Amino acid sequence: MEEKTKNHHTNKHIRNSKSRTPLLHKPPPPFHHVHTNPLLFPSSSPHQSLNLLSTSIHSSHHYYYYYCFYSQFHNTLSLPPPFPFHPSPPLLPLPPPDQRFFNSISKPLSLPPVVERKQKKQVFEHKDNIRNIKVISGSTEAALVVAKRPDSGGQEGSVIYLLANHFLVKFDPSQKIYHYNVDITPHPSKEIARLIKQKLVETEGKASFSGSVPAFDGRQNVYSPVEFQEDKLEFFVNLPIQTCKTLMKCGGDLREKQPEKKVDKLFRVSMRLVSKFDGKKQRKEGESWAPLPQEYIHALDVILRENPTEKCTSIGRSFYSSSMGGSKEIGGGSVGLRGFFQSLRQTQQGLALNIDLSIAAFHESIGVIAYLQKKLEFLKDLSRNKGRELSLEERREVEKALKNIRVFVCHRETVQRYRVFGLTEEITESLWFSDRDGKQLRVMSYFKDHYGYEIQFKNLPCLQISRTRPCYLPMELCVICEGQKFLGKLSDDQTAKIMQMGCQRPNQRKDTIDKVMSGPVGPSSGKQTREFNLEVSREMTLLKGRVLQPPKLKLERPRSLVVKGTRWALMSIGGSSDQKSTVPKFIHELTQKCEHLGVFLSKNTTSTTFFEPSHILNNVSLLELKLKEIQRAASSNLQLIICVMERKHKGYGDLKRIAETKIGVVTQCCLYPNITKLNSQFVSNLALKINAKIGGTMSELYNSIPSHIPRLFRLDEPVIFMGADVTHPHPFDDCSPSVAAVVGSINWPEANRYVSRMRSQTHRQEIIQDLDVMVKELLEDFHKALKKLPNRIIFFRDGVSETQFKKVLQEELQSIKAACSNFNHYNPTITFAVVQKRHHTRLFRRDPVCHHENIPPGTVVDTVITHPKEFDFYLCSHLGVKGTSRPTHYHILWDENEFTSDELQRLVYNLCYTFVRCTKPVSIVPPAYYAHLAAYRGRLYIERSSELTSGGSMNPSCVSRVGPPKTIPLPKLSDNVKNLMFYC
């Protein structure tokens, strides 16, 4: 072996090589890509000592090196299979690359013709701050430009001095950054990739990296402040990797503590120079400001994330560490961790780093058996009942709890991690598999013969860890990997504990953020800031905000909207006899409170209360029959059913769906624990919700909207306010449709009653596909109510990230205009604004006397921390009682109505007082709020329908789906309900 290695070092194609890796005489087949089977790579390294190797070789030999490297592993080791698996068909050589691929590189790309919808073309003209753009419904003649700020910012309101959690970043724009693409094989995790990078810096920093410490994103990108010695570099890194240190006893208890062991693993690292750039802005002619190049911002973002990434668990843009307050058990096999969010932004003051507190739930790193005992109530005694079998329903719950979680095994030394795709159909005792030679082996015998371990939980299924072929792991030998964020829906108790961890008063939150910036895990505490000549301020941004005056309200009953003699019934589901005895008192208190609001619940229909057992919520057919019976008892003329439930139940979704789509009645649900206390505030809130659902309103502006903005609005020129939102299925669901909802106001000048439209659409599609149809229907409803179409459309779009702004504007604005083109000679002016609540900007009072208090309602900021040129502002419209208030960010993408900053800020703030469910201002403009509630209701319909179809488990098509996911249509709303605000 040594002789062969020495001979191959003289290969003329390889220069400056230090490798002792044996090469094969026979060249590899003409691969275009190398496909490997992970099972063929042994977890322990070859017996030969493979040193770190740096070479500068031509790219044509890359796969030759890899082929030899792979062959060494495959030929020198013969190990038993790590776990039972079904043999795959032999790997066949791939055919040569299709010549058409290479031809396409030198030829212009040929695109298929665009198929446009046949519709009447109508030209709309809009003049913005830059140029005239003609927009034709169905197509655009030029790319739409996001609206620019119309002035230097608003002037109304009293001044308030604030601190924002934005930290100024100073940089040298002439500093060049060199971007290198990195390819590591075999493909490692992010954590291992960073260890590889650290070892390279230690051993090759001076020789290959010109003495620099480059920044690495953990995937494919390396950024350096200086150019490396070669444009192409290749290394072989022999890295000792820690294996599992403990063997687990049944139920997850420690049986034996093993000494810490590490195994060597060889990685091939290739780097090549992709680009070099600096931060000099390239302004177009006539422009006073130009954004920094996007690649430069991305590079700086990676550089500033380098230090916290090395010291914390990185999840998205957040970093979590037990050093920031420790972990806290929140029940159900999950723990809460404190961390911080970090994002680099371009603002009016320049580049700024947005730092904020972040709280997240993680799976507890314990044995799978112990995890299930904590997660599922029916398995809490599993360790004492090892022979227990699972019922069909229990099996579904277990599979749902473990699906997509990463685990490692503890019966052998390995660095491999596996993702759980499901459970085996058979129990462990009955499982057999074929080894590599086709011999049938029993799973129980395999683990006893190979590892000396006797399976204890023989009546439980095994974990299935492959999507396409049988690969089995007994549950008791698996441990949940650390650092996995919990992506499912938290229980109410877990949510309360997570919120409690993050519920800090403003002064406490500010102190936490300041400690991050000055602490060892902060973005400015590492070497990278000095390497790239960056200076990050450790002081929050000081700025001036303004506090707008609140509008006057009419809280008396609007005569036209008083609902008298509402026909209703009460349905009790479950509950003890003591709880049921409180129903008459609850009815008395509720009817009195509703009468105070102008809603008179008819006493004739309350003589009979329908008491039902709680199991009725488990039987959809029985529930539907009971609701129809209640409807018939009221002569099929029922408007409202009040449902008092013993506890929260998943059948709540069935109750809502059946009542609103099949029976044609709105429902108001509440819980027995709340009505037994009979808190006055609870009864008032319940009455407000009932009032809204059956068509009433509570809050109305004393001075009508036209009087607030007389320059644009008139009483005889109605305006419609619209809101839109899209909800998506949970992260691991890869087939359920998304749900879009659009709402529109139908009265003027009050603008406090709305109708809604909901549609299901393609899985995870953010652009609203049927927006033109829904907007057209809402305009028809508006015309039906007011006998005229609106002169202006103010459209609030919720749930859009900054990266989607241009796409949403381009497509959804055209859909709105297409809807308008259905009406003859109709050309309203449109304002399109995005509403963002999920951001991390926080505002703190500067005054030390009241620094523990939240900023007051009406606080608006549109300078310093906002976009340098585009029309956006932060508005805190609500009163923060707990924690730290989060202002809502409004970003105007299109404005044909030509609002000034003061006018639009005043309009949005005043609208926040018209939300039908409360008498105080809400945190988000009501049209967007209603759209969010309506979209959630549509999501509820689909989720319950899917669960019932699949018997309570995850939809099987989500696991092995072939082709695009099918869109499940939403059930049609009853005519009695569709024009009511039933979703409130």
Side-chain angles (χ1 to χ4, degrees):
M1 180 69 73
E2 291 179 359
E3 185 177 352
K4 286 186 178 181
T5 304
K6 193 177 295 185
N7 292 338
H8 283 289
H9 280 177
T10 61
N11 191 314
K12 63 181 180 180
H13 295 291
I14 305 169
R15 298 167 187 168
N16 303 325
S17 175
K18 302 175 185 176
S19 173
R20 292 201 298 273
T21 307
L23 303 180
L24 300 182
H25 290 288
K26 183 179 178 180
F31 283 13
H32 183 62
H33 292 290
V34 177
H35 291 251
T36 63
N37 185 338
L39 295 180
L40 299 180
F41 275 90
S43 57
S44 55
S45 65
H47 302 295
Q48 289 84 351
S49 174
L50 297 171
N51 293 339
L52 186 67
L53 170 66
S54 170
T55 59
S56 177
I57 62 175
H58 193 274
S59 60
S60 64
H61 298 287
H62 284 189
Y63 287 113
Y64 183 53
Y65 254 75
Y66 183 77
Y67 183 81
C68 303
F69 159 64
Y70 166 80
S71 299
Q72 181 193 15
F73 276 88
H74 184 63
N75 295 329
T76 57
L77 291 178
S78 178
L79 297 178
F83 48 80
F85 76 105
H86 191 277
S88 300
L91 294 175
L92 299 177
L94 295 179
D98 193 335
Q99 187 61 34
R100 288 174 296 178
F101 170 79
F102 297 101
N103 294 340
S104 66
I105 298 176
S106 57
K107 293 182 179 180
L109 185 63
S110 177
L111 296 176
V114 177
V115 180
E116 296 184 354
R117 287 185 300 176
K118 292 183 179 179
Q119 59 183 30
K120 181 180 178 182
K121 290 190 176 181
Q122 185 173 351
V123 177
F124 306 96
E125 294 190 5
H126 167 65
K127 183 175 182 180
D128 69 0
N129 294 336
I130 297 180
R131 58 182 175 176
N132 292 331
I133 297 178
K134 279 190 176 181
V135 180
I136 302 177
S137 63
S139 64
T140 52
E141 292 182 350
L144 302 181
V145 177
V146 174
K148 305 301 179 188
R149 195 178 304 279
D151 44 42
S152 59
Q155 303 298 321
E156 291 184 7
S158 56
V159 173
I160 182 173
Y161 286 93
L162 304 168
L163 292 170
N165 58 339
H166 287 221
F167 299 85
L168 188 63
V169 178
K170 295 181 180 179
F171 63 97
D172 179 5
S174 63
Q175 168 71 57
K176 271 200 171 357
I177 294 179
Y178 299 86
H179 177 200
Y180 291 84
N181 178 267
V182 181
D183 181 40
I184 305 176
T185 51
H187 184 67
S189 65
K190 279 189 181 181
E191 294 78 13
I192 300 299
R194 291 194 172 277
L195 292 175
I196 293 170
K197 176 254 182 180
Q198 287 176 12
K199 186 163 184 179
L200 282 174
V201 170
E202 292 170 4
T203 56
E204 295 289 326
K206 291 183 179 179
S208 300
F209 298 157
S210 304
S212 69
V213 181
F216 180 39
D217 68 354
R219 295 185 182 90
Q220 294 181 319
N221 301 294
V222 162
Y223 297 97
S224 172
V226 297
E227 194 166 6
F228 293 165
Q229 296 295 327
E230 302 283 347
D231 289 349
K232 292 183 180 179
L233 295 170
E234 186 167 275
F235 310 92
F236 284 98
V237 181
N238 197 19
L239 190 70
I241 298 176
Q242 181 178 320
T243 62
C244 59
K245 296 181 291 185
T246 56
L247 290 179
M248 310 301 289
K249 192 179 178 181
C250 302
D253 301 325
L254 295 182
R255 181 182 74 179
E256 181 181 352
K257 189 85 173 181
Q258 298 290 331
E260 183 174 328
K261 292 187 178 180
K262 295 185 178 182
V263 295
D264 287 344
K265 192 166 185 178
L266 185 67
F267 295 92
R268 172 183 172 274
V269 183
S270 298
M271 293 185 184
R272 61 181 179 86
L273 182 64
V274 176
S275 61
K276 54 185 85 171
F277 46 82
D278 55 35
K280 294 179 180 177
K281 302 176 184 179
Q282 297 179 352
R283 292 185 178 88
K284 295 180 181 178
E285 187 176 350
E287 287 185 340
S288 59
W289 175 87
L292 284 167
Q294 192 58 43
E295 59 181 352
Y296 193 80
I297 295 177
H298 179 72
L300 293 184
D301 187 53
V302 171
I303 293 162
L304 291 168
R305 290 168 62 85
E306 181 81 1
N307 184 62
T309 301
E310 289 180 352
K311 299 174 182 177
C312 304
T313 298
S314 173
I315 306 288
R317 289 195 168 275
S318 295
F319 303 94
Y320 300 93
S321 171
S322 56
S323 65
M324 291 190 63
S327 61
K328 177 181 178 182
E329 282 200 38
I330 61 172
S334 297
V335 295
L337 272 181
R338 279 194 176 93
F340 65 95
F341 169 90
Q342 175 180 317
S343 177
L344 191 63
R345 306 179 60 83
Q346 290 196 80
T347 65
Q348 290 189 32
Q349 66 172 334
L351 274 183
L353 206 55
N354 181 202
I355 304 290
D356 188 30
L357 173 68
S358 181
I359 309 290
F362 288 79
H363 294 287
E364 195 173 355
S365 183
I366 53 177
V368 167
I369 296 293
Y371 177 81
L372 291 176
Q373 288 181 272
K374 290 186 175 186
K375 178 78 173 175
L376 302 172
E377 181 68 22
F378 60 83
L379 291 181
K380 65 180 180 180
D381 295 327
L382 184 59
S383 60
R384 292 195 293 269
N385 187 10
K386 298 174 184 176
R388 190 189 194 285
E389 291 191 37
L390 300 178
S391 67
L392 182 62
E393 182 63 29
E394 288 173 342
R395 189 183 180 283
R396 287 169 178 159
E397 290 296 319
V398 170
E399 185 171 37
K400 185 177 179 182
L402 296 176
K403 187 175 175 61
N404 286 301
I405 289 180
R406 295 194 312 277
V407 298
F408 64 88
V409 295
C410 54
H411 61 283
R412 61 188 178 89
E413 293 181 1
T414 179
V415 296
Q416 283 185 290
R417 302 294 182 260
Y418 310 100
R419 186 178 295 279
V420 179
F421 287 98
L423 302 180
T424 57
E425 293 293 335
E426 296 177 309
I427 60 176
T428 305
E429 189 175 31
S430 305
L431 272 177
W432 292 71
F433 70 98
S434 299
D435 66 5
R436 288 187 172 93
D437 299 324
K439 182 182 178 181
Q440 288 291 309
L441 296 176
R442 189 164 173 251
V443 170
M444 297 275 293
S445 304
Y446 172 86
F447 280 94
K448 187 170 184 180
D449 296 342
H450 283 79
Y451 304 107
Y453 185 84
E454 187 167 343
I455 303 297
Q456 303 292 307
F457 296 86
K458 56 185 72 176
N459 290 328
L460 292 181
C462 281
L463 302 181
Q464 169 66 27
I465 57 167
S466 173
R467 187 187 292 270
T468 57
R469 59 196 178 91
C471 293
Y472 312 137
L473 286 177
M475 291 187 190
E476 63 199 85
L477 296 178
C478 296
V479 183
I480 293 173
C481 297
E482 196 174 8
Q484 294 184 81
K485 187 177 179 182
F486 184 87
L487 297 175
K489 185 177 181 181
L490 294 171
S491 67
D492 292 341
D493 185 53
Q494 288 174 319
T495 301
K497 289 178 179 177
I498 282 288
M499 291 183 67
Q500 187 178 10
M501 288 181 68
C503 188
Q504 293 183 321
R505 295 302 296 170
N507 57 318
Q508 297 172 325
R509 194 181 194 103
K510 180 181 178 300
D511 289 344
T512 300
I513 295 170
D514 287 338
K515 286 178 182 176
V516 168
M517 290 303 296
S518 59
V521 301
S524 60
S525 298
K527 300 177 182 177
Q528 273 67 33
T529 50
R530 294 190 298 272
E531 288 275 332
F532 291 85
N533 293 325
L534 297 176
E535 183 183 339
V536 183
S537 172
R538 297 192 176 187
E539 299 293 329
M540 287 191 178
T541 297
L542 175 65
L543 53 85
K544 280 184 184 180
R546 293 172 289 112
V547 181
L548 304 180
Q549 288 296 314
K552 292 182 180 180
L553 296 178
K554 291 181 186 177
L555 293 180
E556 68 268 20
R557 308 170 191 167
R559 267 180 278 173
S560 60
L561 297 179
V562 171
V563 182
K564 294 188 177 182
T566 300
R567 295 169 297 281
W568 69 292
L570 188 141
M571 181 181 185
S572 168
I573 302 176
S576 65
S577 55
D578 288 342
Q579 288 176 325
K580 292 175 184 177
S581 65
T582 62
V583 168
K585 184 180 179 182
F586 166 66
I587 291 174
H588 175 74
E589 293 286 336
L590 182 63
T591 51
Q592 279 198 331
K593 187 64 68 174
C594 285
E595 285 180 12
H596 177 71
L597 298 178
V599 178
F600 294 90
L601 299 179
S602 174
K603 294 181 174 60
N604 296 331
T605 57
T606 61
S607 56
T608 302
T609 298
F610 297 85
F611 291 97
E612 303 297 335
S614 58
H615 67 75
I616 193 174
L617 291 173
N618 295 323
N619 190 322
V620 177
S621 301
L622 185 61
L623 180 61
E624 185 174 340
L625 287 174
K626 181 54 63 176
L627 289 172
K628 287 180 178 178
E629 179 187 328
I630 296 173
Q631 173 77 311
R632 285 195 299 271
S635 304
S636 300
N637 205 13
L638 203 62
Q639 293 173 279
L640 170 71
I641 299 177
I642 297 176
C643 301
V644 185
M645 302 165 65
E646 182 179 5
R647 63 182 182 276
K648 290 188 176 182
H649 194 284
K650 61 185 179 182
Y652 166 87
D654 297 322
L655 176 67
K656 292 291 184 181
R657 177 177 52 81
I658 294 169
E660 292 160 4
T661 64
K662 296 187 176 182
I663 310 299
V665 61
V666 296
T667 56
Q668 179 57 57
C669 296
C670 53
L671 299 175
Y672 264 119
N674 291 328
I675 75 163
T676 52
K677 297 174 185 175
L678 216 58
N679 178 277
S680 176
Q681 186 61 53
F682 165 75
V683 178
S684 297
N685 291 341
L686 205 62
L688 282 169
K689 293 182 74 173
I690 290 172
N691 179 46
K693 288 181 178 182
I694 60 179
T697 59
M698 185 62 193
S699 298
E700 183 182 338
L701 299 177
Y702 185 83
N703 296 314
S704 64
I705 292 175
S707 66
H708 299 151
I709 311 176
R711 187 181 70 86
L712 295 178
F713 294 162
R714 300 176 184 276
L715 284 172
D716 59 346
E717 295 180 356
V719 177
I720 187 171
F721 297 99
M722 290 185 175
D725 191 19
V726 179
T727 65
H728 303 293
H730 62 78
F732 288 135
D733 185 337
D734 66 351
C735 71
S736 296
S738 296
V739 177
V742 186
V743 303
S745 58
I746 53 169
N747 60 340
W748 177 258
E750 299 88 357
N752 56 7
R753 291 179 58 217
Y754 287 76
V755 292
S756 64
R757 293 295 183 269
M758 300 181 296
R759 296 285 194 282
S760 59
Q761 62 183 42
T762 304
H763 174 76
R764 300 207 181 282
Q765 172 67 45
E766 183 57 45
I767 303 298
I768 301 177
Q769 293 174 332
D770 294 332
L771 182 60
D772 53 346
V773 177
M774 290 189 278
V775 169
K776 174 178 174 289
E777 292 176 4
L778 293 175
L779 290 173
E780 290 172 342
D781 289 339
F782 188 95
H783 185 271
K784 184 177 179 180
L786 293 175
K787 309 305 178 188
K788 60 168 64 176
L789 289 169
N791 289 59
R792 304 176 192 273
I793 296 176
I794 316 297
F795 193 92
F796 294 99
R797 178 65 157 90
D798 193 11
V800 178
S801 64
E802 293 176 359
T803 58
Q804 298 171 316
F805 278 3
K806 289 186 178 180
K807 186 175 182 182
V808 165
L809 174 62
Q810 190 79 26
E811 299 191 29
E812 294 189 0
L813 178 64
Q814 299 315 303
S815 294
I816 297 171
K817 289 185 176 293
C820 296
S821 68
N822 287 281
F823 304 92
N824 291 332
H825 309 296
Y826 181 51
N827 184 14
T829 50
I830 300 170
T831 295
F832 191 110
V834 168
V835 182
Q836 293 178 306
K837 192 67 177 174
R838 294 181 181 178
H839 63 83
H840 287 268
T841 294
R842 298 293 184 274
L843 301 171
F844 305 93
R845 292 176 183 257
R846 188 200 181 196
D847 187 351
V849 176
C850 50
H851 70 289
H852 60 284
E853 297 177 4
N854 271 308
I855 55 178
T859 300
V860 63
V861 170
D862 58 5
T863 59
V864 186
I865 61 171
T866 50
H867 193 278
K869 288 297 176 182
E870 294 174 6
F871 191 3
D872 71 325
F873 58 90
Y874 292 93
L875 171 65
C876 180
S877 52
H878 67 295
L879 175 64
V881 179
K882 291 183 178 181
T884 304
S885 295
R886 181 190 343 224
T888 300
H889 185 221
Y890 296 89
H891 202 122
I892 292 74
L893 303 187
W894 192 258
D895 185 25
E896 295 173 355
N897 290 296
E898 299 181 346
F899 283 100
T900 64
S901 293
D902 279 327
E903 288 171 340
L904 191 56
Q905 291 163 10
R906 189 189 320 132
L907 172 65
V908 170
Y909 183 45
N910 290 350
L911 284 175
C912 289
Y913 281 82
T914 64
F915 190 67
V916 293
R917 275 192 348 199
C918 57
T919 57
K920 295 178 181 178
V922 289
S923 62
I924 178 175
V925 69
Y929 202 148
Y930 297 142
H932 174 77
L933 295 174
Y936 175 77
R937 180 57 53 86
R939 165 70 43 213
L940 196 65
Y941 292 167
I942 282 183
E943 284 180 349
R944 284 301 294 157
S945 299
S946 299
E947 286 183 20
L948 293 169
T949 301
S950 59
S953 65
M954 298 186 71
N955 194 333
S957 62
C958 293
V959 179
S960 57
R961 171 172 55 81
V962 177
K966 295 181 180 179
T967 300
I968 305 170
L970 291 176
K972 186 179 179 183
L973 288 169
S974 166
D975 290 340
N976 296 339
V977 171
K978 71 177 184 179
N979 287 330
L980 296 174
M981 299 176 72
F982 61 91
Y983 43 82
C984 285

